[in-house]
Amino acid sequence: MTGVKSIKGMNDLLPGQTVAWQKIEGVFRELFELYSYREIRTPIVESTSLFSRSIGESSDIVSKEMYTFEDRNGDSLTLRPEGTASIARAGLQHGLFHNQQQRLWYQGPMFRYERPQKGRFRQFHQVGIEAYGWSSADIEAEVIALSHALWEKLGISQPKLEINSLGSEQGRTAYLKALKHYLEPHKNDLDKDSQKRLDRNVLRILDSKSPQTREILDDAPNIFDFLGESELAQFDELQKLLNALAIPYSVNSRMVRGLDYYNNLVFEWVHSDLGAQSTVCAGGRYDRLTEQLGGKFVAAFGFAIGIERLLDIIESSGQLAQLPTPAIYFISDGAACRQQALVAASQLREADFSVQMHCGEGSLKNQIKRADKSGAQLAIILGEQEQNAGKVSIKPLRDKNGIQSVVDIARLVQCVSERLT
Ligand code: ATP
Ligand code: MG
């Protein structure tokens, strides 16, 4: 095709694909309702400073992945790369955290300038939940249990849960110092990215995929040696709750998250069907976020799921969503019958039957062919002959032994009901 195409890494969702999306969206909604989470919707475009203040200047997202532009007024705006910063902003702006706790969920497109590949796009979609106002382990267990319940509801093979603690300010600062101190003498043996991160974002080195860097990391200091007593106690408490809820997990003390606002508990659900982009859901605690945005302290915990990756898992488990088919294909033979056909089709829809109308020209033979292709159960045929007699034909399309009948047009809805229910 010549002419305009979609932007690299930004996908159209065609009708054959949106069915699967709608199906999982339905599952989310039901589940969020069961857990008492309420939907929040925020704009897709925000002030750039919202993300630089929250996600962190040195993070990959802010330093190289944002779609940032100036509007006509010269203000710097950014297409949101994730949902949490916007929700914290909205919560502060509208006083949602004022002497209140909030269980919120959101969904929608996110934008990151990354190298497009399997499971990684420039416009992708996340669904997430955020619990504001609780510092305790029970909310952490609830949020993780909700994600676990989602896999069950979707009927997919369970991803694996990994948890870690990044500590609070104090422990983490000491840990980062120790990590840097340990890595510095190995600087020349680290991969290029990690060398850069040594000064800017040392924690992210733990994320490196380079085998040589990973070997060096084998003897690096462990975060758990730097956590305070109460942090360790809460991490223990969470594990007890996960055990009680029969949710299997493993502790991965190397797991870090790409966004700077996390503290203490972080977790990921990783699925083996996803290849290199194996994390389908990621989350953690971000108690400092509201303060970073100029508000007061509000404890917060949540996660985001990559919907495209979730769909990959669903597809690899062999669940294919089918496009819906209409119950009825309505054929009108000849221009004189159109008006009455449109009216009759409306009456069928009022009685909750889905009707695909043959609009425009077409011979009877051609219309019957289309009716068959539509997947409808019945074809209704209104020709001039039938019309003159106040009748209409009902032709079964799927049932080989079904017989075609001619009925009074006034009894059409009733006759269809008898056939289809
Ligand atoms: P990754 O390590 O895969 O880059 P991340 O740490 O950047 O992920 P988050 O920002 O925590 O991920 O986003 C949560 C989830 O959103 C991810 O686990 C993933 O499922 C999904 N996700 C993130 N970036 C993309 C992308 N570019 N394309 C598709 N899905 C994505
Ligand atoms: Mg990323």
Side-chain angles (χ1 to χ4, degrees), residues 399-414:
D399 177 5
K400 281 207 176 68
N401 302 318
I403 23 171
Q404 184 164 339
S405 57
V406 178
V407 304
D408 284 346
I409 196 151
R411 291 185 57 240
L412 177 60
V413 171
Q414 192 193 333

Side-chain angles (χ1 to χ4, degrees), residues 72-87:
R72 287 172 192 277
N73 194 32
D75 294 328
S76 181
L77 307 183
T78 294
L79 297 184
R80 65 179 183 196
E82 55 104 49
T84 297
S86 303
I87 291 167

Side-chain angles (χ1 to χ4, degrees), residues 61 65 81-82 112 114 119-126 204 207 256-259 262 268 277-283 304-309:
I61 293 180
E65 295 174 357
E82 55 104 49
R112 295 184 195 175
E114 298 195 74
R120 196 176 289 292
F121 307 100
R122 289 182 174 171
Q123 174 176 324
F124 62 100
H125 297 75
Q126 289 184 334
R204 288 294 280 181
D207 232 7
V256 294
R257 311 266 31 266
L259 300 85
Y262 285 110
E268 287 191 6
Q277 272 61 248
S278 60
T279 305
V280 59
C281 171
I305 292 171
I307 301 185
E308 284 83 356
R309 292 189 196 174

Side-chain angles (χ1 to χ4, degrees), residues 1-6:
M1 187 185 93
T2 53
V4 185
K5 291 188 180 164
S6 67

Side-chain angles (χ1 to χ4, degrees), residues 80-352:
R80 65 179 183 196
E82 55 104 49
T84 297
S86 303
I87 291 167
R89 183 214 30 83
L92 290 171
Q93 186 175 334
H94 302 287
L96 299 187
F97 309 138
H98 221 75
N99 301 323
Q100 299 173 70
Q101 294 164 317
Q102 296 284 348
R103 286 182 165 90
L104 304 170
W105 73 270
Y106 65 92
Q107 135 183 54
M110 307 295 163
F111 302 84
R112 295 184 195 175
Y113 192 80
E114 298 195 74
R115 191 168 69 78
Q117 54 196 289
K118 182 176 153 52
R120 196 176 289 292
F121 307 100
R122 289 182 174 171
Q123 174 176 324
F124 62 100
H125 297 75
Q126 289 184 334
V127 58
I129 68 170
E130 319 242 318
Y132 284 95
W134 292 271
S135 314
S136 44
D138 50 1
I139 195 78
E140 299 169 348
E142 174 183 292
V143 167
I144 293 175
L146 191 162
S147 53
H148 180 252
L150 183 62
W151 321 136
E152 301 220 315
K153 285 238 177 216
L154 289 168
I156 58 174
S157 60
Q158 286 281 340
K160 291 200 161 45
L161 173 62
E162 295 186 353
I163 59 174
N164 189 24
S165 178
L166 300 177
S168 59
E169 206 88 41
Q170 211 181 6
R172 179 147 43 149
T173 309
Y175 172 63
L176 293 182
K177 210 166 144 196
L179 187 60
K180 193 165 171 192
H181 183 76
Y182 167 81
L183 287 171
E184 223 127 44
H186 299 284
K187 182 167 182 176
N188 293 331
D189 299 322
L190 296 174
D191 60 279
K192 285 252 142 43
D193 270 348
S194 296
Q195 287 181 6
K196 279 189 229 148
R197 285 174 171 151
L198 200 52
D199 291 318
R200 290 196 352 229
N201 198 345
V202 65
L203 202 60
R204 288 294 280 181
I205 298 178
L206 295 183
D207 232 7
S208 169
K209 305 278 183 292
S210 143
Q212 196 176 332
T213 301
R214 298 202 71 81
E215 210 181 301
I216 295 169
L217 286 169
D218 278 343
D219 297 321
N222 189 313
I223 180 82
F224 285 96
D225 296 329
F226 295 81
L227 299 184
E229 234 172 77
S230 67
E231 289 160 19
L232 283 170
Q234 179 149 339
F235 194 64
D236 252 16
E237 166 76 6
L238 169 78
Q239 293 182 65
K240 284 200 188 98
L241 295 174
L242 291 178
N243 291 335
L245 291 163
I247 300 173
Y249 63 88
S250 55
V251 177
N252 174 1
S253 62
R254 289 276 183 77
M255 186 186 28
V256 294
R257 311 266 31 266
L259 300 85
D260 284 359
Y261 52 58
Y262 285 110
N263 64 279
N264 296 79
L265 183 64
V266 288
F267 70 99
E268 287 191 6
W269 287 96
V270 180
H271 202 286
S272 55
D273 287 353
L274 288 175
Q277 272 61 248
S278 60
T279 305
V280 59
C281 171
R285 186 167 273 294
Y286 33 94
D287 297 333
R288 299 274 151 208
L289 178 56
T290 50
E291 286 173 326
Q292 274 168 267
L293 296 178
K296 58 165 192 159
F297 175 91
V298 185
F301 190 75
F303 69 63
I305 292 171
I307 301 185
E308 284 83 356
R309 292 189 196 174
L310 184 57
L311 275 158
D312 274 350
I313 300 173
I314 293 175
E315 265 167 38
S316 68
S317 75
Q319 292 182 44
L320 295 177
Q322 300 288 334
L323 268 176
T325 52
I328 293 162
Y329 193 94
F330 209 116
I331 294 171
S332 61
D333 193 21
C337 307
R338 292 259 167 83
Q339 187 178 321
Q340 196 171 13
L342 281 174
V343 173
S346 292
Q347 289 165 349
L348 285 165
R349 294 186 185 114
E350 275 164 27
D352 273 345

